[in-house]
Amino acid sequence: VQLQASGGGLVHTGGSLRLSCAASRSIVSLTVMGWYRQAPGKQREFIAQIPNDGTTSYAGSVKGRSTISRDNAKNTVYLQMNSLKPEDTAVYYCSAAGYSDSGVWFTSWGQGTLVTVSS
């Protein structure tokens, strides 16, 4: 599955952004979709995920400020981020994982969208 992330940009501290991740096919059969981020000079880190049962989980650094959701009809996953801080500055990647038609587990990544939070 191909993923296209969008919605990044430049915001001031305290601002909000909604990131979108559009999949090239139905996401209903995907086991889990998620968001990760990578700040300059740092490793990629987990932000949030939403399995196909609709439950959600978040990293402590964004919990309470971010909401992940999925719209199966639009094959899209969203990440609403509020109360943004300069330390949220990073390239944000969406991911999708599940089983292929042949039963092989796979993980796909989008190309990333840059979020810059100015102080």
Side-chain angles (χ1 to χ4, degrees):
V1 57
Q2 294 182 339
L3 304 173
Q4 180 74 39
S6 61
L10 173 64
V11 296
H12 293 296
T13 297
S16 298
L17 281 175
R18 188 177 80 156
L19 306 184
S20 299
C21 175
S24 59
R25 65 167 179 83
S26 172
I27 64 173
V28 172
S29 62
L30 294 171
T31 302
V32 61
M33 298 193 71
W35 287 94
Y36 291 72
R37 70 185 181 189
Q38 187 167 17
K42 295 186 178 181
Q43 291 187 330
R44 189 173 299 187
E45 63 174 349
F46 166 78
I47 294 299
Q49 69 177 24
I50 182 167
N52 55 12
D53 64 0
T55 60
T56 58
S57 58
Y58 300 90
S61 57
V62 303
K63 193 171 186 179
R65 301 189 294 123
S66 297
T67 301
I68 187 171
S69 60
R70 59 194 291 167
D71 185 334
N72 290 339
K74 295 183 178 180
N75 300 329
T76 300
V77 173
Y78 303 97
L79 182 67
Q80 176 70 43
M81 299 189 297
N82 302 319
S83 302
L84 284 163
K85 307 173 183 179
E87 50 264 43
D88 293 318
T89 295
V91 177
Y92 284 70
Y93 299 90
C94 61
S95 70
Y99 290 97
S100 68
D101 292 339
S102 57
V104 177
W105 181 261
F106 71 90
T107 301
S108 296
W109 294 91
Q111 86 289 359
T113 185
L114 176 63
V115 172
T116 303
V117 184
S118 63
S119 58

